[in-house]
Amino acid sequence: MLSGNHLIAGDWVAGEATFASEPAHGEAHDFSVGTPAHVDAAVTAAEEAFRTYGYSSREERAAFLEAIADEIEARGAEITAIGTSETGLPEARLEGERGRTTGQLRLFASHIRKGDYLDRRHDKALPERQPLPRPDLRMIQRPVGPVAVFGASNFPLAFSTAGGDTAAALAAGCPVVVKGHSAHPGTGEIVAQAISAAIKTCGVHPGVFSLVQGGTRETGQALVTHPLIRAVGFTGSLAGGRALFDLCVARAEPIPFFGELGSVNPMFLMGNAVKARGAEIAKGWAGSLTMGAGQFCTNPGIAVIVDGPDADAFANAATEALEPVGAQTMLTDGIAGAYRSGRDRVAASAGVQELLTSTCDLRNATPYLYRVSGKDWLTNHALGEEVFGPLGLIVTVADFDEMLAIARSLQGQLTCTIHMDAADTEEGKALMPVLERKAGRLLANGFPTGVEGCDAMVHGGPYPASTNFGATSVGTLSIRRFLRPVCYQNMPQYLLPEDLR
């Protein structure tokens, strides 16, 4: 059952204005519009909750995360039903994403139980040291305080209400205020119901989590500029993320903004690999490019290859693999419109050749494939901007030196991929120092669509892929975004945090 209201510190709160959801199919529902007043109430409650939750034990927080996962699974059928209606995503995708969401929560529960993330250090006192004695020094990572999280349009579960940012913040000991995404408000409310139930089961302060639905830009601005918010997690567009980032920096007391803003995720195809298995790579690329209507931030939109007969064969194979792919429903009308605008921008660029065109309208997306020379690509930086959807661009370079020039010209990326065989080792070695400076994750002979939630994963990269190149929004390392090191000097045992005693 949907209330259409905000969850603020344990209460379902209505607003004066409402907005209607815009489902891909099925019934629309009305939801309250969030306001700065709702934000203030939620953040104030989060600060109150931090006084206890920020000092709770790791075991208490781990049990809370596991309870949230259990409550989400108990609502699995309901979440799938509303999620598919709102987003147009197939049931299998929603069920898989729900499993990833609960998996993340349980992963963080296990992670904080181990305690390694605390990075505990102890330099014992040296009272006899000359010329000066050394005091007793202990260091540990401590939670920063209330965290704001913005739900993502393309992941209604794994990157939204109880997604990776929320899981990492709660694991760290930080209360969370989520600004729900208007593309899937019903899904967000049901997940919030699950979190609310877990709060009651575990006896946690209700201010530890709030969900503010919808709202104008003013609402989002009120959230990131609220003086009690200590950090922000965001997954979304470059324009929206940069606007919020600028607000965080302009605050009287600036705070970190951890924005994941997308990328084109280029692939570099080495000559021997293309000669040996170019058609196989092309087929795999087509599958990765069109998965989920291309609505993944790790969608590999660009393939860089040395011009010649092998490049022609690769282009033909990719075209053949993409031709049978039918129309897919996109997440929102706005995303579909932006996809068509991106298509038009690429198609109208100088030197761009159309390899596969199709017709898509309304909320549908069909694949497009284009080809351009490396020379033309290097003179048109707009071709390196993300087109969110199943659009591919083959960049044919004159030689490996021009391929290196393409790599050096890249902006920050989430991923970069090299397709190579053993005979391509020298070229691979030449590319690696360049690509390491461009992306957070480097792949060999694979496709980046899909991100594993685990200890070693990095989902981030230099700007504009993300706003903080030293962080990741996926994997256990993401907890560090919501922690800060504190050193205790000559502190009595009974005043130390429990984990330092």
Side-chain angles (χ1 to χ4, degrees):
M1 296 294 293
L2 295 174
S3 70
N5 295 334
H6 316 286
L7 175 62
I8 299 178
D11 295 323
W12 292 97
V13 180
E16 294 183 3
T18 62
F19 70 97
S21 62
E22 299 178 354
H25 56 80
E27 182 183 359
H29 299 276
D30 290 332
F31 294 88
S32 294
V33 175
T35 66
H38 291 126
V39 167
D40 181 63
V43 177
T44 300
E47 176 66 18
E48 293 175 359
F50 183 63
R51 296 169 189 168
T52 54
Y53 189 73
Y55 297 87
S56 59
S57 70
R58 288 181 283 122
E59 178 56 39
E60 288 172 329
R61 296 198 302 277
F64 178 44
L65 294 171
E66 290 171 338
I68 295 173
D70 291 343
E71 294 291 350
I72 289 174
E73 287 178 345
R75 294 161 175 78
E78 192 178 358
I79 290 171
T80 298
I82 189 70
T84 55
S85 171
E86 290 183 324
T87 66
L89 295 171
E91 288 187 5
R93 158 67 193 275
L94 263 295
E95 290 169 356
E97 191 181 331
R98 188 179 74 246
R100 171 177 173 158
T101 304
T102 56
Q104 288 176 156
L105 290 160
R106 293 192 171 103
L107 175 66
F108 276 109
S110 173
H111 185 61
I112 62 176
R113 281 191 175 107
K114 295 174 184 175
D116 295 343
Y117 77 99
L118 294 169
D119 193 17
R120 287 170 284 202
R121 306 182 185 199
H122 183 198
D123 291 303
K124 294 183 179 180
L126 299 175
E128 307 300 326
R129 191 183 67 174
Q130 295 296 327
L132 294 173
R134 185 178 75 189
D136 184 84
L137 298 168
R138 300 170 187 255
M139 189 274 283
I140 193 173
Q141 300 287 338
R142 297 294 299 144
V144 299
V147 169
V149 172
F150 285 74
S153 64
N154 59 334
F155 279 88
L157 298 173
F159 280 87
S160 290
T161 310
D165 288 347
T166 298
L170 292 176
C174 300
V176 173
V177 177
V178 171
K179 183 180 181 296
H181 200 287
S182 58
H184 40 75
T187 308
E189 180 178 332
I190 296 173
V191 174
Q193 291 174 9
I195 299 174
S196 180
I199 287 172
K200 295 173 182 176
T201 298
C202 297
V204 178
H205 189 295
V208 77
F209 175 85
S210 292
L211 169 68
V212 178
Q213 292 279 25
T216 62
R217 290 184 179 180
E218 183 185 14
T219 306
Q221 292 170 356
L223 184 55
V224 302
T225 58
H226 197 290
L228 295 178
I229 288 293
R230 313 314 301 160
V232 179
F234 174 88
T235 299
S237 69
L238 174 59
R242 182 53 196 255
L244 295 175
F245 172 82
D246 290 344
L247 286 172
C248 288
V249 173
R251 287 173 39 138
E253 183 181 359
I255 59 172
F257 179 84
F258 299 104
E260 191 270 281
L261 310 180
S263 78
V264 296
N265 307 293
M267 306 189 308
F268 295 85
L269 281 62
M270 303 295 100
N272 290 287
V274 174
K275 187 176 293 293
R277 47 193 174 85
E280 177 186 342
I281 296 172
K283 184 178 179 180
W285 183 39
S288 182
L289 196 65
T290 58
M291 182 185 299
Q295 298 171 114
F296 290 89
C297 45
T298 52
N299 189 27
I302 293 178
V304 185
I305 187 171
V306 175
D307 200 8
D310 291 336
D312 295 339
F314 173 81
N316 291 335
T319 303
E320 292 177 3
L322 289 169
E323 280 178 334
V325 178
Q328 300 180 72
T329 302
M330 301 201 84
L331 292 159
T332 69
D333 292 331
I335 289 174
Y339 174 59
R340 291 191 289 272
S341 295
R343 169 205 63 191
D344 295 342
R345 169 173 53 80
V346 172
S349 298
V352 170
Q353 173 190 358
E354 296 179 346
L355 300 182
L356 175 66
T357 60
S358 52
T359 300
C360 63
D361 56 11
L362 303 176
R363 199 160 160 174
N364 296 318
T366 51
Y368 291 84
L369 185 62
Y370 299 94
R371 180 171 178 168
V372 70
S373 71
K375 179 180 178 181
D376 286 330
W377 195 91
L378 286 168
T379 59
N380 185 356
H381 294 294
L383 291 175
E385 296 175 4
E386 181 183 29
V387 178
F388 195 63
L391 183 147
L393 178 63
I394 299 173
V395 181
T396 53
V397 296
D399 49 31
F400 183 71
D401 286 341
E402 190 170 63
M403 183 177 286
L404 276 174
I406 295 286
R408 293 190 181 106
S409 74
L410 291 171
Q411 293 184 302
Q413 305 291 325
L414 293 170
T415 73
C416 287
T417 301
I418 302 176
H419 287 276
M420 58 178 289
D421 285 349
D424 298 310
T425 298
E426 291 306 311
E427 289 82 359
K429 286 182 177 180
L431 271 173
M432 284 297 288
V434 180
L435 300 186
E436 281 183 352
R437 298 182 65 187
K438 300 294 183 178
R441 177 163 58 115
L442 305 180
L443 296 84
N445 299 323
F447 301 96
T449 309
V451 184
E452 183 72 24
C454 59
D455 291 330
M457 178 53 63
V458 173
H459 189 59
Y463 185 84
S466 61
T467 55
N468 190 312
F469 62 81
T472 173
S473 61
V474 177
T476 54
L477 186 64
S478 66
I479 195 174
R480 292 195 179 181
R481 297 173 298 168
F482 310 121
L483 297 165
R484 65 182 184 89
V486 178
C487 176
Y488 302 85
Q489 181 171 326
N490 290 336
M491 193 65 62
Q493 283 280 331
Y494 56 83
L495 291 182
L496 289 171
E498 183 68 32
D499 285 318
L500 261 184
R501 297 178 190 174

